[in-house]
Amino acid sequence: MIAPSQKPLLILQTGHAPEPIRRAHDNFPQMFIRQGDIDPQQVVIVDLQAGERPLPPENYCGAIITGSRSMVTERLAWSEEAADWVRLGMLQELPMFGACYGHQLMAYALGGEVDYHPQGIEVGTHEVTLTPAGHLDPLVSQLPAQFAANLIHLQTVITPPATATVLAKTRHDPHQILRYGPHAVSTQFHPEFSLAVMKTYLSWLGSIAEDDSVDFAHQAQQLSETPLSQGLLLAFVGALGKRQALAG
């Protein structure tokens, strides 16, 4: 149970995993809970697409913003409201972690440009490389210069917010980790996706693909475990716990 003196962690759910993935691995919030080693009793999940809305940022110890099959450029009403909420969270220095759609939403909310990636989809397990700024970052510098991460995205942060710092890149995408301030970061990759989740995703994507521009079967053969990517999520969650302890 959440102690009266503690604030819960908000998981801002921006979408739902496809049915085959949910059936095998549960939904996006549960993936974050599992991969982040988070106590489910310390979490409040707010499903934006279902019409739910979060309380003001001061009611939470931090926020995780999930991925989605929607697109930030659709400017959906719930997404625009979430962008407003992110801006409020930044003003109050709320610790925030966004992944994929959450990454793009945070960048858009804070003045960046989001659109379809000119080279199309980035999918599979790929090598992420830290930038010089990443080597100096208090959270990201715990990672090695290069590490593996799982990715599935069509849209991307074309131009980061002017105040953001780029901490990592892949060959396909130069904006894999962004920092927006002392307590807010986001990743284009999915630290919440395990190897098993990615295998199911690629099988599903291969079954619904309308063209052969991407060899999903080949990408599936290149998958690997991504413990260092997951470690970034674990480090963020761990920092929240220390902050709570100091505040309490």
Side-chain angles (χ1 to χ4, degrees), residues 126-130 143-149 168 177 189 228-229 232:
H126 295 288
E127 189 174 80
V128 179
T129 302
L130 297 189
L143 296 168
Q146 295 179 321
F147 62 95
I177 307 178
F189 58 83
L228 295 172
S229 161
L232 186 63

Side-chain angles (χ1 to χ4, degrees), residues 3-245:
S5 60
Q6 287 186 319
K7 296 178 181 179
L9 169 63
L10 170 67
I11 296 183
L12 206 55
Q13 184 178 349
T14 64
H16 297 267
E19 193 275 333
I21 286 79
R22 290 202 308 273
R23 186 171 62 244
H25 308 289
D26 219 326
N27 215 336
F28 294 140
Q30 288 72 34
M31 294 178 194
F32 275 102
I33 289 169
R34 185 167 58 243
Q35 293 293 94
D37 195 22
I38 300 167
D39 181 352
Q41 293 184 313
Q42 303 293 322
V43 170
V44 171
I45 299 170
V46 172
D47 184 347
L48 295 174
Q49 290 193 2
E52 300 173 1
R53 295 295 179 265
L55 297 172
E58 62 266 23
N59 290 277
Y60 307 103
C61 69
I64 291 173
I65 308 173
T66 75
S68 178
R69 295 170 68 190
S70 298
M71 300 295 174
V72 169
T73 55
E74 293 177 289
R75 307 287 190 265
L76 299 170
W78 59 261
S79 185
E80 294 296 297
E81 291 175 21
D84 289 340
W85 192 93
V86 166
R87 287 186 278 269
L88 284 176
M90 285 297 298
L91 289 174
Q92 297 181 26
E93 297 190 338
L94 180 74
M96 289 185 281
F97 188 106
C100 200
Y101 190 97
H103 167 75
Q104 297 162 16
L105 179 68
M106 289 176 69
Y108 162 73
L110 301 174
E113 178 190 2
V114 173
D115 210 333
Y116 286 93
H117 195 291
Q119 276 75 56
I121 192 171
E122 183 177 33
V123 61
T125 302
H126 295 288
E127 189 174 80
V128 179
T129 302
L130 297 189
T131 65
H135 285 288
L136 300 174
D137 187 81
L139 184 69
V140 174
S141 62
Q142 301 175 42
L143 296 168
Q146 295 179 321
F147 62 95
N150 290 321
L151 297 114
I152 305 176
H153 69 110
L154 285 165
Q155 292 205 335
T156 187
V157 177
I158 300 292
T159 307
T163 56
T165 303
V166 181
L167 303 180
K169 61 184 179 179
T170 57
R171 189 175 300 175
H172 183 89
D173 194 312
H175 307 131
Q176 283 291 338
I177 307 178
L178 296 177
R179 177 171 288 284
Y180 309 95
H183 308 294
V185 297
S186 64
T187 66
Q188 182 57 71
F189 58 83
H190 287 276
E192 79 281 16
F193 281 8
S194 66
L195 172 61
V197 169
M198 284 299 295
K199 283 182 176 178
T200 307
Y201 248 110
L202 286 172
S203 175
W204 173 72
L205 287 170
S207 71
I208 65 169
E210 297 180 354
D211 59 56
D212 58 359
S213 60
V214 178
D215 188 343
F216 291 106
H218 174 74
Q219 291 292 342
Q221 293 173 358
Q222 308 303 311
L223 294 176
S224 67
E225 296 286 0
T226 56
L228 295 172
S229 161
Q230 178 190 6
L232 186 63
L233 174 61
L234 289 166
F236 174 81
V237 173
L240 283 181
K242 292 177 183 177
R243 185 181 170 106
Q244 282 270 72

